[in-house]
Amino acid sequence: MKKEVEIFVYGAEQICASCVGMPSSKETYEWLDAAISRKYPEQPFTIKYIDIFNPPEEEKHRLFATHVIEEDLFYPVVTIGEEIIGEGNPKLKDIYKEMEKYGYEEVSPK
């Protein structure tokens, strides 16, 4: 593995108006954490949830949270590095593809 990936899931308690019927941002975050951990066991990564209406003090997160709100992006918005990998209903396939660019490898069940 080249570099440990940091995944950020930007969302809110309230489901976005265009995403009614989909899981909440927090549920998506938890689902992604579990799915990625199963796909890449023993390959460390970090996944963090960022509330767009109450972001942490770190400037990059505050700026991106503001961007999500001002640009009316469908949340949750999933980022790896500086790239938006998915929004609204992120696809695991896209997230896995991005992680494999960083050297992550699927571990086949024994």
Side-chain angles (χ1 to χ4, degrees), residues 31-68:
W31 169 71
L32 287 173
D33 188 18
I36 295 167
S37 294
R38 280 192 304 274
K39 178 88 168 181
Y40 306 111
E42 299 178 32
Q43 297 175 66
F45 67 93
T46 303
I47 185 167
K48 293 182 183 171
Y49 176 77
I50 308 288
D51 184 322
I52 60 174
F53 296 111
N54 190 22
E57 292 297 315
E58 195 173 345
E59 184 177 17
K60 76 175 189 173
H61 295 306
R62 284 188 303 104
L63 291 173
F64 193 79
T66 300
H67 175 73
V68 170

mmCIF file of all heavy atoms in Angstrom, residues 31-68:
data_model
loop_
_atom_site.group_PDB
_atom_site.id
_atom_site.type_symbol
_atom_site.label_atom_id
_atom_site.label_comp_id
_atom_site.label_asym_id
_atom_site.label_seq_id
_atom_site.Cartn_x
_atom_site.Cartn_y
_atom_site.Cartn_z
ATOM 1 N N TRP A 31 -22.046 2.529 7.116
ATOM 2 C CA TRP A 31 -22.091 1.483 6.093
ATOM 3 C C TRP A 31 -20.773 1.448 5.312
ATOM 4 O O TRP A 31 -20.209 0.371 5.087
ATOM 5 C CB TRP A 31 -23.276 1.753 5.163
ATOM 6 C CG TRP A 31 -23.317 0.954 3.928
ATOM 7 C CD1 TRP A 31 -23.579 -0.391 3.789
ATOM 8 C CD2 TRP A 31 -23.101 1.439 2.596
ATOM 9 N NE1 TRP A 31 -23.536 -0.753 2.472
ATOM 10 C CE2 TRP A 31 -23.242 0.349 1.715
ATOM 11 C CE3 TRP A 31 -22.812 2.701 2.072
ATOM 12 C CZ2 TRP A 31 -23.103 0.478 0.334
ATOM 13 C CZ3 TRP A 31 -22.679 2.822 0.698
ATOM 14 C CH2 TRP A 31 -22.819 1.723 -0.151
ATOM 15 N N LEU A 32 -20.263 2.612 4.932
ATOM 16 C CA LEU A 32 -18.991 2.672 4.204
ATOM 17 C C LEU A 32 -17.847 2.138 5.051
ATOM 18 O O LEU A 32 -17.007 1.375 4.555
ATOM 19 C CB LEU A 32 -18.679 4.112 3.770
ATOM 20 C CG LEU A 32 -19.508 4.675 2.638
ATOM 21 C CD1 LEU A 32 -19.200 6.157 2.444
ATOM 22 C CD2 LEU A 32 -19.274 3.905 1.348
ATOM 23 N N ASP A 33 -17.802 2.527 6.315
ATOM 24 C CA ASP A 33 -16.749 2.065 7.209
ATOM 25 C C ASP A 33 -16.744 0.536 7.268
ATOM 26 O O ASP A 33 -15.687 -0.097 7.123
ATOM 27 C CB ASP A 33 -16.952 2.663 8.600
ATOM 28 C CG ASP A 33 -15.799 2.395 9.555
ATOM 29 O OD1 ASP A 33 -14.687 2.049 9.096
ATOM 30 O OD2 ASP A 33 -16.007 2.545 10.765
ATOM 31 N N ALA A 34 -17.905 -0.067 7.447
ATOM 32 C CA ALA A 34 -17.995 -1.527 7.538
ATOM 33 C C ALA A 34 -17.640 -2.201 6.211
ATOM 34 O O ALA A 34 -16.871 -3.178 6.174
ATOM 35 C CB ALA A 34 -19.401 -1.930 7.973
ATOM 36 N N ALA A 35 -18.154 -1.673 5.107
ATOM 37 C CA ALA A 35 -17.913 -2.282 3.798
ATOM 38 C C ALA A 35 -16.444 -2.207 3.392
ATOM 39 O O ALA A 35 -15.874 -3.186 2.900
ATOM 40 C CB ALA A 35 -18.788 -1.605 2.736
ATOM 41 N N ILE A 36 -15.812 -1.071 3.626
ATOM 42 C CA ILE A 36 -14.405 -0.900 3.259
ATOM 43 C C ILE A 36 -13.518 -1.772 4.147
ATOM 44 O O ILE A 36 -12.553 -2.376 3.667
ATOM 45 C CB ILE A 36 -14.005 0.592 3.326
ATOM 46 C CG1 ILE A 36 -14.777 1.387 2.267
ATOM 47 C CG2 ILE A 36 -12.499 0.762 3.143
ATOM 48 C CD1 ILE A 36 -14.715 2.893 2.440
ATOM 49 N N SER A 37 -13.865 -1.863 5.421
ATOM 50 C CA SER A 37 -13.094 -2.716 6.340
ATOM 51 C C SER A 37 -13.143 -4.181 5.912
ATOM 52 O O SER A 37 -12.151 -4.898 6.030
ATOM 53 C CB SER A 37 -13.636 -2.584 7.769
ATOM 54 O OG SER A 37 -13.415 -1.287 8.249
ATOM 55 N N ARG A 38 -14.294 -4.633 5.419
ATOM 56 C CA ARG A 38 -14.419 -6.025 4.931
ATOM 57 C C ARG A 38 -13.636 -6.235 3.638
ATOM 58 O O ARG A 38 -13.043 -7.273 3.430
ATOM 59 C CB ARG A 38 -15.886 -6.384 4.692
ATOM 60 C CG ARG A 38 -16.647 -6.744 5.938
ATOM 61 C CD ARG A 38 -17.995 -7.371 5.612
ATOM 62 N NE ARG A 38 -18.834 -6.545 4.753
ATOM 63 C CZ ARG A 38 -19.643 -5.586 5.166
ATOM 64 N NH1 ARG A 38 -19.727 -5.315 6.447
ATOM 65 N NH2 ARG A 38 -20.369 -4.905 4.321
ATOM 66 N N LYS A 39 -13.665 -5.254 2.769
ATOM 67 C CA LYS A 39 -13.020 -5.370 1.457
ATOM 68 C C LYS A 39 -11.491 -5.354 1.589
ATOM 69 O O LYS A 39 -10.801 -6.056 0.862
ATOM 70 C CB LYS A 39 -13.474 -4.222 0.567
ATOM 71 C CG LYS A 39 -12.847 -4.168 -0.810
ATOM 72 C CD LYS A 39 -13.618 -4.989 -1.785
ATOM 73 C CE LYS A 39 -13.161 -4.697 -3.207
ATOM 74 N NZ LYS A 39 -13.914 -5.482 -4.164
ATOM 75 N N TYR A 40 -10.989 -4.522 2.493
ATOM 76 C CA TYR A 40 -9.543 -4.342 2.652
ATOM 77 C C TYR A 40 -9.119 -4.609 4.102
ATOM 78 O O TYR A 40 -8.615 -3.710 4.779
ATOM 79 C CB TYR A 40 -9.119 -2.936 2.233
ATOM 80 C CG TYR A 40 -9.564 -2.558 0.844
ATOM 81 C CD1 TYR A 40 -10.545 -1.594 0.633
ATOM 82 C CD2 TYR A 40 -8.998 -3.178 -0.268
ATOM 83 C CE1 TYR A 40 -10.953 -1.249 -0.646
ATOM 84 C CE2 TYR A 40 -9.417 -2.848 -1.547
ATOM 85 C CZ TYR A 40 -10.387 -1.878 -1.727
ATOM 86 O OH TYR A 40 -10.797 -1.552 -2.996
ATOM 87 N N PRO A 41 -9.309 -5.850 4.587
ATOM 88 C CA PRO A 41 -8.939 -6.126 5.973
ATOM 89 C C PRO A 41 -7.437 -5.959 6.191
ATOM 90 O O PRO A 41 -6.640 -6.228 5.296
ATOM 91 C CB PRO A 41 -9.374 -7.583 6.180
ATOM 92 C CG PRO A 41 -9.375 -8.178 4.814
ATOM 93 C CD PRO A 41 -9.732 -7.052 3.872
ATOM 94 N N GLU A 42 -7.095 -5.474 7.361
ATOM 95 C CA GLU A 42 -5.698 -5.272 7.745
ATOM 96 C C GLU A 42 -4.958 -4.294 6.831
ATOM 97 O O GLU A 42 -3.732 -4.334 6.723
ATOM 98 C CB GLU A 42 -4.973 -6.612 7.848
ATOM 99 C CG GLU A 42 -5.604 -7.520 8.900
ATOM 100 C CD GLU A 42 -4.931 -8.867 8.990
ATOM 101 O OE1 GLU A 42 -3.714 -8.954 8.752
ATOM 102 O OE2 GLU A 42 -5.644 -9.832 9.315
ATOM 103 N N GLN A 43 -5.714 -3.453 6.141
ATOM 104 C CA GLN A 43 -5.141 -2.374 5.328
ATOM 105 C C GLN A 43 -5.729 -1.081 5.905
ATOM 106 O O GLN A 43 -6.879 -0.758 5.647
ATOM 107 C CB GLN A 43 -5.503 -2.548 3.848
ATOM 108 C CG GLN A 43 -4.927 -3.832 3.258
ATOM 109 C CD GLN A 43 -5.395 -4.057 1.837
ATOM 110 O OE1 GLN A 43 -5.051 -3.281 0.943
ATOM 111 N NE2 GLN A 43 -6.172 -5.109 1.624
ATOM 112 N N PRO A 44 -4.948 -0.385 6.709
ATOM 113 C CA PRO A 44 -5.493 0.753 7.457
ATOM 114 C C PRO A 44 -5.960 1.905 6.566
ATOM 115 O O PRO A 44 -5.381 2.189 5.524
ATOM 116 C CB PRO A 44 -4.339 1.185 8.351
ATOM 117 C CG PRO A 44 -3.118 0.647 7.702
ATOM 118 C CD PRO A 44 -3.526 -0.580 6.942
ATOM 119 N N PHE A 45 -7.032 2.516 7.002
ATOM 120 C CA PHE A 45 -7.564 3.727 6.376
ATOM 121 C C PHE A 45 -8.268 4.492 7.480
ATOM 122 O O PHE A 45 -8.547 3.961 8.550
ATOM 123 C CB PHE A 45 -8.525 3.390 5.229
ATOM 124 C CG PHE A 45 -9.793 2.720 5.678
ATOM 125 C CD1 PHE A 45 -10.926 3.453 5.957
ATOM 126 C CD2 PHE A 45 -9.837 1.340 5.835
ATOM 127 C CE1 PHE A 45 -12.099 2.833 6.398
ATOM 128 C CE2 PHE A 45 -10.995 0.708 6.264
ATOM 129 C CZ PHE A 45 -12.130 1.458 6.542
ATOM 130 N N THR A 46 -8.543 5.749 7.228
ATOM 131 C CA THR A 46 -9.272 6.581 8.180
ATOM 132 C C THR A 46 -10.537 7.053 7.493
ATOM 133 O O THR A 46 -10.491 7.467 6.331
ATOM 134 C CB THR A 46 -8.430 7.809 8.583
ATOM 135 O OG1 THR A 46 -7.187 7.364 9.112
ATOM 136 C CG2 THR A 46 -9.149 8.660 9.611
ATOM 137 N N ILE A 47 -11.642 6.964 8.199
ATOM 138 C CA ILE A 47 -12.900 7.512 7.675
ATOM 139 C C ILE A 47 -13.492 8.394 8.757
ATOM 140 O O ILE A 47 -13.548 8.009 9.923
ATOM 141 C CB ILE A 47 -13.867 6.400 7.215
ATOM 142 C CG1 ILE A 47 -15.124 7.009 6.565
ATOM 143 C CG2 ILE A 47 -14.197 5.446 8.340
ATOM 144 C CD1 ILE A 47 -15.987 6.016 5.799
ATOM 145 N N LYS A 48 -13.870 9.609 8.365
ATOM 146 C CA LYS A 48 -14.394 10.574 9.335
ATOM 147 C C LYS A 48 -15.680 11.189 8.803
ATOM 148 O O LYS A 48 -15.790 11.479 7.607
ATOM 149 C CB LYS A 48 -13.380 11.688 9.602
ATOM 150 C CG LYS A 48 -12.138 11.213 10.302
ATOM 151 C CD LYS A 48 -11.189 12.341 10.577
ATOM 152 C CE LYS A 48 -9.914 11.800 11.221
ATOM 153 N NZ LYS A 48 -8.885 12.796 11.327
ATOM 154 N N TYR A 49 -16.595 11.406 9.721
ATOM 155 C CA TYR A 49 -17.849 12.066 9.388
ATOM 156 C C TYR A 49 -17.732 13.541 9.752
ATOM 157 O O TYR A 49 -17.280 13.881 10.847
ATOM 158 C CB TYR A 49 -19.006 11.427 10.170
ATOM 159 C CG TYR A 49 -20.318 12.123 9.944
ATOM 160 C CD1 TYR A 49 -21.038 11.915 8.781
ATOM 161 C CD2 TYR A 49 -20.831 12.998 10.890
ATOM 162 C CE1 TYR A 49 -22.236 12.561 8.554
ATOM 163 C CE2 TYR A 49 -22.033 13.647 10.682
ATOM 164 C CZ TYR A 49 -22.730 13.428 9.516
ATOM 165 O OH TYR A 49 -23.917 14.074 9.294
ATOM 166 N N ILE A 50 -18.122 14.417 8.836
ATOM 167 C CA ILE A 50 -18.078 15.861 9.060
ATOM 168 C C ILE A 50 -19.493 16.409 8.882
ATOM 169 O O ILE A 50 -20.074 16.279 7.800
ATOM 170 C CB ILE A 50 -17.142 16.580 8.046
ATOM 171 C CG1 ILE A 50 -15.753 15.965 7.994
ATOM 172 C CG2 ILE A 50 -17.130 18.084 8.313
ATOM 173 C CD1 ILE A 50 -14.881 16.221 9.172
ATOM 174 N N ASP A 51 -20.032 17.012 9.939
ATOM 175 C CA ASP A 51 -21.361 17.637 9.857
ATOM 176 C C ASP A 51 -21.196 18.977 9.138
ATOM 177 O O ASP A 51 -20.471 19.850 9.614
ATOM 178 C CB ASP A 51 -21.915 17.844 11.269
ATOM 179 C CG ASP A 51 -23.332 18.390 11.270
ATOM 180 O OD1 ASP A 51 -23.671 19.235 10.423
ATOM 181 O OD2 ASP A 51 -24.101 17.960 12.143
ATOM 182 N N ILE A 52 -21.865 19.134 8.002
ATOM 183 C CA ILE A 52 -21.670 20.353 7.196
ATOM 184 C C ILE A 52 -22.210 21.605 7.887
ATOM 185 O O ILE A 52 -21.782 22.709 7.574
ATOM 186 C CB ILE A 52 -22.275 20.217 5.774
ATOM 187 C CG1 ILE A 52 -23.776 19.947 5.825
ATOM 188 C CG2 ILE A 52 -21.529 19.155 4.984
ATOM 189 C CD1 ILE A 52 -24.468 19.933 4.462
ATOM 190 N N PHE A 53 -23.140 21.432 8.805
ATOM 191 C CA PHE A 53 -23.686 22.595 9.520
ATOM 192 C C PHE A 53 -22.956 22.876 10.823
ATOM 193 O O PHE A 53 -23.216 23.890 11.472
ATOM 194 C CB PHE A 53 -25.185 22.408 9.765
ATOM 195 C CG PHE A 53 -25.970 22.354 8.482
ATOM 196 C CD1 PHE A 53 -26.564 21.177 8.069
ATOM 197 C CD2 PHE A 53 -26.091 23.474 7.667
ATOM 198 C CE1 PHE A 53 -27.276 21.123 6.880
ATOM 199 C CE2 PHE A 53 -26.794 23.438 6.472
ATOM 200 C CZ PHE A 53 -27.389 22.255 6.079
ATOM 201 N N ASN A 54 -22.041 21.983 11.201
ATOM 202 C CA ASN A 54 -21.247 22.171 12.412
ATOM 203 C C ASN A 54 -19.863 21.550 12.193
ATOM 204 O O ASN A 54 -19.472 20.629 12.904
ATOM 205 C CB ASN A 54 -21.966 21.519 13.603
ATOM 206 C CG ASN A 54 -21.323 21.878 14.911
ATOM 207 O OD1 ASN A 54 -20.640 22.878 15.024
ATOM 208 N ND2 ASN A 54 -21.522 21.029 15.906
ATOM 209 N N PRO A 55 -19.117 22.065 11.186
ATOM 210 C CA PRO A 55 -17.820 21.457 10.876
ATOM 211 C C PRO A 55 -16.770 21.742 11.940
ATOM 212 O O PRO A 55 -16.914 22.694 12.709
ATOM 213 C CB PRO A 55 -17.433 22.117 9.546
ATOM 214 C CG PRO A 55 -18.127 23.435 9.564
ATOM 215 C CD PRO A 55 -19.411 23.206 10.331
ATOM 216 N N PRO A 56 -15.726 20.927 11.967
ATOM 217 C CA PRO A 56 -14.636 21.193 12.913
ATOM 218 C C PRO A 56 -13.905 22.481 12.541
ATOM 219 O O PRO A 56 -14.124 23.045 11.469
ATOM 220 C CB PRO A 56 -13.732 19.968 12.755
ATOM 221 C CG PRO A 56 -14.043 19.419 11.415
ATOM 222 C CD PRO A 56 -15.470 19.763 11.129
ATOM 223 N N GLU A 57 -13.025 22.908 13.414
ATOM 224 C CA GLU A 57 -12.300 24.167 13.209
ATOM 225 C C GLU A 57 -11.337 24.140 12.028
ATOM 226 O O GLU A 57 -11.004 25.191 11.485
ATOM 227 C CB GLU A 57 -11.523 24.528 14.484
ATOM 228 C CG GLU A 57 -12.409 24.903 15.641
ATOM 229 C CD GLU A 57 -13.238 26.153 15.360
ATOM 230 O OE1 GLU A 57 -12.686 27.140 14.840
ATOM 231 O OE2 GLU A 57 -14.439 26.134 15.667
ATOM 232 N N GLU A 58 -10.880 22.955 11.634
ATOM 233 C CA GLU A 58 -9.897 22.861 10.566
ATOM 234 C C GLU A 58 -10.437 23.532 9.294
ATOM 235 O O GLU A 58 -11.519 23.205 8.813
ATOM 236 C CB GLU A 58 -9.561 21.394 10.302
ATOM 237 C CG GLU A 58 -8.318 21.194 9.479
ATOM 238 C CD GLU A 58 -7.918 19.729 9.383
ATOM 239 O OE1 GLU A 58 -8.424 18.900 10.159
ATOM 240 O OE2 GLU A 58 -7.100 19.438 8.514
ATOM 241 N N GLU A 59 -9.643 24.471 8.758
ATOM 242 C CA GLU A 59 -10.110 25.309 7.654
ATOM 243 C C GLU A 59 -10.575 24.519 6.439
ATOM 244 O O GLU A 59 -11.608 24.826 5.853
ATOM 245 C CB GLU A 59 -9.018 26.302 7.243
ATOM 246 C CG GLU A 59 -9.499 27.252 6.164
ATOM 247 C CD GLU A 59 -8.463 28.296 5.773
ATOM 248 O OE1 GLU A 59 -7.268 28.118 6.076
ATOM 249 O OE2 GLU A 59 -8.863 29.274 5.150
ATOM 250 N N LYS A 60 -9.830 23.481 6.046
ATOM 251 C CA LYS A 60 -10.207 22.746 4.836
ATOM 252 C C LYS A 60 -11.600 22.127 4.980
ATOM 253 O O LYS A 60 -12.357 22.080 4.022
ATOM 254 C CB LYS A 60 -9.173 21.698 4.449
ATOM 255 C CG LYS A 60 -9.166 20.446 5.268
ATOM 256 C CD LYS A 60 -8.174 19.444 4.709
ATOM 257 C CE LYS A 60 -8.308 18.088 5.374
ATOM 258 N NZ LYS A 60 -7.470 17.081 4.745
ATOM 259 N N HIS A 61 -11.954 21.683 6.187
ATOM 260 C CA HIS A 61 -13.271 21.088 6.399
ATOM 261 C C HIS A 61 -14.361 22.162 6.440
ATOM 262 O O HIS A 61 -15.449 21.961 5.892
ATOM 263 C CB HIS A 61 -13.293 20.257 7.684
ATOM 264 C CG HIS A 61 -12.394 19.065 7.609
ATOM 265 N ND1 HIS A 61 -12.465 18.117 6.604
ATOM 266 C CD2 HIS A 61 -11.384 18.673 8.412
ATOM 267 C CE1 HIS A 61 -11.550 17.194 6.803
ATOM 268 N NE2 HIS A 61 -10.869 17.515 7.881
ATOM 269 N N ARG A 62 -14.063 23.283 7.057
ATOM 270 C CA ARG A 62 -15.042 24.377 7.089
ATOM 271 C C ARG A 62 -15.324 24.872 5.677
ATOM 272 O O ARG A 62 -16.475 25.082 5.302
ATOM 273 C CB ARG A 62 -14.542 25.536 7.959
ATOM 274 C CG ARG A 62 -14.651 25.282 9.446
ATOM 275 C CD ARG A 62 -14.328 26.502 10.313
ATOM 276 N NE ARG A 62 -12.997 27.047 10.059
ATOM 277 C CZ ARG A 62 -12.724 28.156 9.372
ATOM 278 N NH1 ARG A 62 -13.693 28.879 8.875
ATOM 279 N NH2 ARG A 62 -11.481 28.568 9.197
ATOM 280 N N LEU A 63 -14.269 25.050 4.869
ATOM 281 C CA LEU A 63 -14.439 25.532 3.502
ATOM 282 C C LEU A 63 -15.216 24.541 2.647
ATOM 283 O O LEU A 63 -16.094 24.924 1.871
ATOM 284 C CB LEU A 63 -13.074 25.818 2.862
ATOM 285 C CG LEU A 63 -12.309 27.012 3.425
ATOM 286 C CD1 LEU A 63 -10.910 27.086 2.828
ATOM 287 C CD2 LEU A 63 -13.072 28.304 3.165
ATOM 288 N N PHE A 64 -14.897 23.249 2.789
ATOM 289 C CA PHE A 64 -15.593 22.268 1.966
ATOM 290 C C PHE A 64 -17.051 22.134 2.409
ATOM 291 O O PHE A 64 -17.940 21.991 1.567
ATOM 292 C CB PHE A 64 -14.894 20.902 1.976
ATOM 293 C CG PHE A 64 -15.425 20.010 0.899
ATOM 294 C CD1 PHE A 64 -15.004 20.163 -0.414
ATOM 295 C CD2 PHE A 64 -16.378 19.053 1.185
ATOM 296 C CE1 PHE A 64 -15.528 19.370 -1.422
ATOM 297 C CE2 PHE A 64 -16.904 18.242 0.183
ATOM 298 C CZ PHE A 64 -16.470 18.403 -1.126
ATOM 299 N N ALA A 65 -17.320 22.198 3.711
ATOM 300 C CA ALA A 65 -18.697 22.143 4.207
ATOM 301 C C ALA A 65 -19.507 23.302 3.620
ATOM 302 O O ALA A 65 -20.647 23.123 3.170
ATOM 303 C CB ALA A 65 -18.725 22.174 5.729
ATOM 304 N N THR A 66 -18.907 24.483 3.594
ATOM 305 C CA THR A 66 -19.561 25.653 2.999
ATOM 306 C C THR A 66 -19.813 25.418 1.517
ATOM 307 O O THR A 66 -20.887 25.743 0.999
ATOM 308 C CB THR A 66 -18.696 26.913 3.204
ATOM 309 O OG1 THR A 66 -18.528 27.115 4.613
ATOM 310 C CG2 THR A 66 -19.329 28.137 2.578
ATOM 311 N N HIS A 67 -18.856 24.824 0.829
ATOM 312 C CA HIS A 67 -18.996 24.505 -0.600
ATOM 313 C C HIS A 67 -20.185 23.570 -0.827
ATOM 314 O O HIS A 67 -20.976 23.778 -1.754
ATOM 315 C CB HIS A 67 -17.691 23.886 -1.112
ATOM 316 C CG HIS A 67 -17.747 23.399 -2.517
ATOM 317 N ND1 HIS A 67 -17.771 24.250 -3.599
ATOM 318 C CD2 HIS A 67 -17.788 22.141 -3.018
ATOM 319 C CE1 HIS A 67 -17.824 23.534 -4.711
ATOM 320 N NE2 HIS A 67 -17.838 22.248 -4.373
ATOM 321 N N VAL A 68 -20.310 22.534 0.001
ATOM 322 C CA VAL A 68 -21.422 21.581 -0.129
ATOM 323 C C VAL A 68 -22.757 22.308 -0.016
ATOM 324 O O VAL A 68 -23.665 22.095 -0.821
ATOM 325 C CB VAL A 68 -21.325 20.453 0.937
ATOM 326 C CG1 VAL A 68 -22.591 19.605 0.958
ATOM 327 C CG2 VAL A 68 -20.099 19.583 0.691
#
